[in-house]
Amino acid sequence: MASFMDKIIIFDTTLRDGEQAPGASLNPAEKLEIAHALVDLGVDVIEAGFPISSRGDLESVKEIARSVKGTVICALARAVKGDIDAAYEAVRHAKRPRIHVFLATSKIHMQHKFKKTEDEVLRLAVESVKYAKKFCADIDFSPEDTTRTERKFLFKILKEVIAAGATTVNIPDTVGYTEPDEYADLVCAVKENVPNIHKAVISVHCHNDLGLAVANSLAAIKSGARQVECTVNGIGERAGNASLEEIVMALRTRKDIYKGFNTSIVTANIYKTSRLVSKLTGFAVAPNKAIVGGNAFRHESGIHQDGVLKERSTYEIMRPEDVGFSGSGIVLGKHSGRHALKERLKELGFKLSDGEVARINTRFKELADKKKNIFDDDLISVVQDEIKLVEPVWILLGFEINSGTKINPSAKVDLKYKNNISSAQSNGDGPVDACFKAIDKATGVKGELQDYRIEAVTKGKDALGEVILKLKAKGKVVTARGSSTDIIEASVRAYINALNKIESL
Ligand code: KIV
Ligand code: ZN
């Protein structure tokens, strides 16, 4: 099994395979925000996108490659020159660029998708790896649908692409079809039958169609895989990809089984990264989701609560703080000073400038006037609401609503735009609708609401409400959020945040 301190390379594909999840479109500013969060999380490789898929994706990968430091930045390409050119154009400014070339190798794909023989596929694979290698030393090659590929052909193609310069060979379970024993055996077979395999890192990439993506990835690690491709919250095509946080915490929690394996993930940053990805993609995390679900560390039954109070390890195999989850821990209140706030923000893993802390402090004081106890989740929400990578052009000065069962709801909003005040009034189907229509009038931008969701950040009647909405305006679609103890204010903030994002694109 593992030799002493075997490093497992965490290849995060949240921004590529994760973003392929139906309904999860991220704009460039959101992708950049996630990329920075992934660096703080400690991932080794960020697969930032699939540049040939659109000009926007290319630009977004380019921006990440230029400004995100500390990880390998990877771009995906089919085994086609144009794709590889686009991938290289996107990652060339990264300090450590990588190109990930993929080509289907299973009979079912070769026959039905592109009607090619094994020889033709082999030639294309080798040519494309050689072509990519001219630009970039670090090449990842994926024989798509490996788990349904004839083994003899797989060994041959892996040997040839390694000889052509691939430094990582991936074994994707594209359709989530394999199971742990079979997948572990496949990795062993690759090690035994590909003579030059020692020249490349074996990578795994599992989809979750049978709910086995994490189990399969772990089985592969035991057999010799040293790179795992995964996503935050397990988002991705169809049923998603292997979840980063589950793999990392399994390796860490069961050190007795995964002896000697380690990752560079800062586990205390897992929870806030999960929340960020959830908010920006608009995908809620199921309460029972392992590691990052809202209930993952909550004990409801009396017997469990009693046990945990006597000795945590009776019912807790991980400490919530290890993943940055503080649950209902009261952290701050009205009388907490700026220093305590700053310290707590630091403990939560936020690296903020003094100016940013001052802004958070203002929001914190406003919140503390309305809400007795401020929990970590409240703070995370305020920070993610307040600290934006884009400079806001529209700033909320205030709003008023008039609503009730017997009146036609109306709203007035006051906004600031480049030192000018713009106010407008409108009626609507409800107070939120009236506010949105008033904002449209005040900004002169017509927004089309595509999705709208409210969540309580913490428990209790005075809980902070968080609104996550998807807005289309000026031909662009963005997801934005806003938080407040008042759900109308949270909605107004989210709507204005969305308009600011649109202005920045
Ligand atoms: O699932 C898959 O096969 C992929 C490849 C591009 C690696 O996402
Ligand atoms: Zn995939």
Side-chain angles (χ1 to χ4, degrees):
M1 232 239 282
S3 59
F4 181 63
M5 293 311 261
D6 264 317
K7 162 91 192 257
I8 302 300
I9 299 164
I10 300 293
F11 175 116
D12 181 278
T13 183
T14 307
L15 295 175
R16 199 278 298 169
D17 220 340
E19 213 239 353
Q20 277 173 229
S25 69
L26 295 164
N27 67 37
E30 291 165 337
K31 286 188 185 173
L32 191 60
E33 193 173 348
I34 292 178
H36 281 293
L38 291 172
V39 172
D40 289 347
L41 183 61
V43 308
D44 301 286
V45 184
I46 294 176
E47 186 165 52
F50 186 17
I52 196 73
S53 66
S54 71
R55 190 76 215 167
D57 211 46
L58 188 148
E59 290 304 326
S60 162
V61 179
K62 218 182 207 176
E63 181 54 35
I64 292 172
R66 275 210 185 98
S67 56
V68 175
K69 307 277 176 254
T71 65
V72 172
I73 306 293
C74 174
L76 185 69
R78 289 169 298 182
V80 174
K81 279 188 175 170
D83 280 36
I84 296 168
D85 291 339
Y88 181 61
E89 189 192 338
V91 295
R92 59 199 283 251
H93 294 294
K95 197 146 185 237
R96 288 183 287 150
R98 175 182 291 193
I99 297 176
H100 180 184
V101 179
F102 76 102
L103 179 63
T105 50
S106 66
K107 273 213 165 79
I108 193 161
H109 278 231
M110 291 191 297
Q111 278 170 8
H112 299 286
K113 241 170 63 176
F114 34 63
K115 297 196 180 2
K116 288 200 190 310
T117 63
E118 283 190 354
D119 285 349
E120 284 172 294
V121 168
L122 180 65
R123 182 182 53 79
L124 269 178
V126 170
E127 274 177 7
S128 56
V129 169
K130 280 190 178 156
Y131 184 68
K133 193 79 182 177
K134 282 193 203 156
F135 304 117
C136 183
D138 188 350
I139 305 294
D140 196 331
F141 179 80
S142 285
E144 193 191 6
D145 202 16
T146 308
T147 49
R148 295 190 298 170
T149 295
E150 294 268 309
R151 286 197 177 189
K152 231 173 109 194
F153 180 50
L154 174 68
F155 303 146
K156 192 166 165 186
I157 204 163
L158 291 182
K159 180 179 147 224
E160 297 299 333
V161 293
I162 293 171
T167 40
T168 299
V169 285
N170 192 26
I171 306 191
D173 183 26
T174 305
V175 290
Y177 181 66
T178 197
E179 63 79 56
D181 289 343
E182 183 187 61
Y183 201 47
D185 180 66
L186 179 58
V187 173
C188 287
V190 164
K191 280 186 0 193
E192 277 160 23
N193 293 284
V194 179
N196 52 359
I197 194 69
H198 59 282
K199 293 189 177 163
V201 172
I202 301 177
S203 170
V204 285
H205 174 116
C206 296
H207 280 269
N208 206 28
D209 299 66
L210 293 173
L212 292 170
V214 170
N216 289 338
S217 305
L218 292 169
I221 288 173
K222 280 189 189 169
S223 283
R226 290 296 174 267
Q227 174 177 284
V228 186
E229 303 195 358
C230 47
T231 60
V232 174
N233 298 340
I235 63 167
E237 283 269 4
R238 307 180 309 277
N241 288 61
S243 135
L244 180 151
E245 58 279 4
E246 292 176 24
I247 292 171
V248 168
M249 290 314 287
L251 291 175
R252 181 182 154 132
T253 308
R254 295 306 309 271
K255 274 197 187 312
D256 54 331
I257 294 192
Y258 302 104
K259 253 191 212 106
F261 293 120
N262 70 91
T263 71
S264 49
I265 295 298
V266 181
T267 62
N269 286 346
I270 284 179
Y271 187 66
K272 72 172 181 165
T273 314
S274 157
R275 292 215 45 195
L276 180 70
V277 169
S278 166
K279 278 179 208 154
L280 295 183
T281 55
F283 289 161
V285 174
N288 63 329
K289 162 84 174 67
I291 318 294
V292 289
N295 290 344
F297 294 97
R298 289 205 172 108
H299 305 276
E300 205 65 30
S301 103
I303 297 174
H304 289 206
Q305 286 175 350
D306 182 56
V308 170
L309 286 174
K310 286 179 176 143
E311 166 55 46
R312 278 171 86 161
S313 62
T314 50
Y315 287 99
E316 274 185 8
I317 59 163
M318 296 165 271
R319 294 180 314 165
E321 56 269 34
D322 291 342
V323 300
F325 180 86
S326 70
S328 57
I330 298 166
V331 290
L332 299 166
K334 198 178 173 120
H335 303 293
S336 308
R338 185 154 156 184
H339 184 70
L341 173 71
K342 195 173 171 179
E343 281 308 299
R344 191 61 204 147
L345 289 170
K346 220 195 273 169
E347 280 162 20
L348 287 171
F350 292 108
K351 291 180 207 141
L352 303 172
S353 67
D354 285 348
E356 285 170 331
V357 173
R359 267 162 55 204
I360 302 295
N361 192 41
T362 308
R363 281 288 302 277
F364 167 74
K365 291 287 175 204
E366 286 166 16
L367 188 59
D369 276 339
K370 297 177 188 159
K371 191 174 188 300
K372 193 164 165 246
N373 299 318
I374 307 227
F375 303 104
D376 282 351
D377 274 0
D378 294 324
L379 275 187
I380 293 173
S381 183
V382 168
V383 175
Q384 291 179 344
D385 188 12
E386 199 61 33
I387 305 302
K388 300 165 194 87
L389 291 170
V390 295
E391 249 334 282
V393 286
W394 295 101
I395 294 169
L396 175 66
L397 295 177
F399 73 96
E400 281 165 33
I401 54 153
N402 214 341
S403 183
T405 47
K406 294 190 180 128
I407 50 173
N408 189 4
S410 63
K412 174 175 180 285
V413 295
D414 299 312
L415 306 179
K416 192 165 129 186
Y417 179 73
K418 296 182 182 163
N419 291 332
N420 296 316
I421 292 177
S422 177
S423 302
Q425 265 181 313
S426 177
N427 290 96
D429 291 335
V432 172
D433 185 48
C435 284
F436 290 172
K437 285 188 171 133
I439 296 171
D440 282 354
K441 275 192 190 169
T443 57
V445 180
K446 176 90 191 81
E448 183 195 313
L449 198 61
Q450 296 197 330
D451 199 11
Y452 173 89
R453 189 150 62 78
I454 303 180
E455 282 173 12
V457 175
T458 45
K459 287 188 174 170
K461 280 188 183 159
D462 64 353
L464 195 64
E466 190 163 67
V467 167
I468 297 139
L469 54 78
K470 196 174 252 185
L471 190 75
K472 185 173 178 189
K474 296 185 167 181
K476 298 166 195 159
V477 181
V478 296
T479 302
R481 61 191 181 268
S483 60
S484 168
T485 48
D486 173 344
I487 56 166
I488 313 280
E489 183 183 333
S491 306
V492 167
R493 285 187 182 279
Y495 200 88
I496 294 170
N497 287 344
L499 290 177
N500 281 327
K501 269 190 187 176
I502 284 167
E503 289 296 333
S504 75
L505 298 178

